[in-house]
Amino acid sequence: MEVRDLHPWPDTRAEAEAIQDGLRPLLDLDSPGPVRPRTVAGLDVSYAGDGDGTGARLAAAAVVLDAATLRVVEESVAVGTAAFPYIPGLFAFRELPTLVEALRGLRTVPDLLVCDGFGVAHPRRFGLACHVGVLTGLPAIGVGKTAFVGEHATPGPRRGDASPLTDDGEVVGRVLRTQDDVKPVFVSVGHRTGLDDACRIVLELAPDYRLPETTRRADRLSRDALRS
DNA sequence: GCGACAG
DNA sequence: ATCTTGTCGC
């Protein structure tokens, strides 16, 4: 599939933040988004080592599933190098180049992208899912495993229970329980999707495990690609 | 100034 | 993310 060319690459933290600020106005946070996506792509990245600096070997995977059956429609992997040090808030710059390469290897154009990490639930309201959404033009959401920004009440214990994730007085996402008595995930919108739809789709993608099947598939594929 | 801090 | 032993449970 087509993906917009990467903007000039930042060498410093300030440049990276400037890029986020420049791209943020391109976000579409009002469109209804895909109510019934037929295909959903999961994105994930695995690392080889080398700590949090630049240069670590990594593998990025994009796995397209049929949303109704959760069967794999297509897979794409790319190996590369960490393009930026790990800095909370600038996480996207670390793996974006390789992730984009994996997306370009896709023949299918998915109806929705599910990223590991966050969308607008981000200090500058421009997390990885926003970045990927703007670069591809596709609806995108983020599913994070641990808290990053904002405050939230503990959601109820049952699958489907949720509580709003708020930051500076605005709702930036939702803490969603995907399985009974299992630690919830953090869902936030990235691009061209509503929060209600995002949460409903995440639940549909996670019938048996805490994380959506899209993420689990991409995680496994990227990990396997790293050892070869 | 200090602690926290997606993956 | 990754590094890792043991442990609980289907």
Side-chain angles (χ1 to χ4, degrees):
Chain A
M1 63 169 284
E2 305 293 314
V3 180
R4 170 189 310 202
D5 280 323
L6 255 12
H7 31 71
W9 205 250
D11 290 318
T12 67
R13 179 182 188 126
E15 289 172 3
E17 292 177 342
I19 289 174
Q20 293 182 326
D21 292 341
L23 294 179
R24 192 175 46 237
L26 301 180
L27 278 182
D28 180 356
L29 302 175
D30 298 317
S31 292
V35 177
R36 304 283 353 167
R38 197 191 79 70
T39 57
V40 183
L43 276 36
D44 195 24
V45 174
S46 293
Y47 294 83
D50 272 20
D52 285 343
T54 303
R57 204 164 71 90
L58 56 79
V63 178
V64 182
L65 301 187
D66 180 300
T69 64
L70 300 187
R71 303 278 293 181
V72 176
V73 172
E74 191 186 357
E75 297 182 327
S76 176
V77 212
V79 293
T81 293
F84 207 76
Y86 173 66
I87 301 173
L90 302 179
F91 170 58
F93 293 96
R94 190 162 174 70
E95 40 189 57
L96 218 36
T98 312
L99 214 40
V100 165
E101 195 182 328
L103 283 168
R104 285 182 169 143
L106 242 37
R107 189 171 183 276
T108 314
V109 179
D111 297 323
L112 174 70
L113 265 26
V114 177
C115 306
D116 58 308
F118 293 102
V120 296
H122 177 278
R124 314 174 71 79
R125 300 293 182 267
F126 200 78
L128 175 64
C130 299
H131 214 136
V132 169
V134 165
L135 291 177
T136 61
L138 296 177
I141 64 174
V143 178
K145 297 181 286 297
T146 62
F148 183 34
V149 293
E151 310 81 44
H152 64 88
T154 300
R158 317 299 289 177
R159 166 180 162 85
D161 288 342
S163 61
L165 177 64
T166 58
D167 188 38
D168 286 322
E170 51 182 321
V171 176
V172 295
R174 197 171 291 167
V175 185
L176 176 67
R177 191 89 63 177
T178 54
Q179 298 294 323
D180 292 353
D181 302 311
V182 167
K183 194 208 304 185
V185 297
F186 298 76
V187 179
S188 60
V189 162
H191 188 53
R192 296 180 54 196
T193 313
L195 186 55
D196 286 336
D197 286 326
C199 290
R200 180 178 46 74
I201 293 169
V202 166
L203 276 178
E204 293 172 358
L205 293 173
D208 299 319
Y209 297 93
R210 180 190 179 219
L211 296 179
E213 286 304 309
T214 37
T215 300
R216 301 185 70 243
R217 290 281 189 175
D219 178 78
R220 188 140 63 80
L221 179 57
S222 64
R223 198 164 315 204
D224 289 348
L226 214 43
R227 14 170 263 98
S228 69

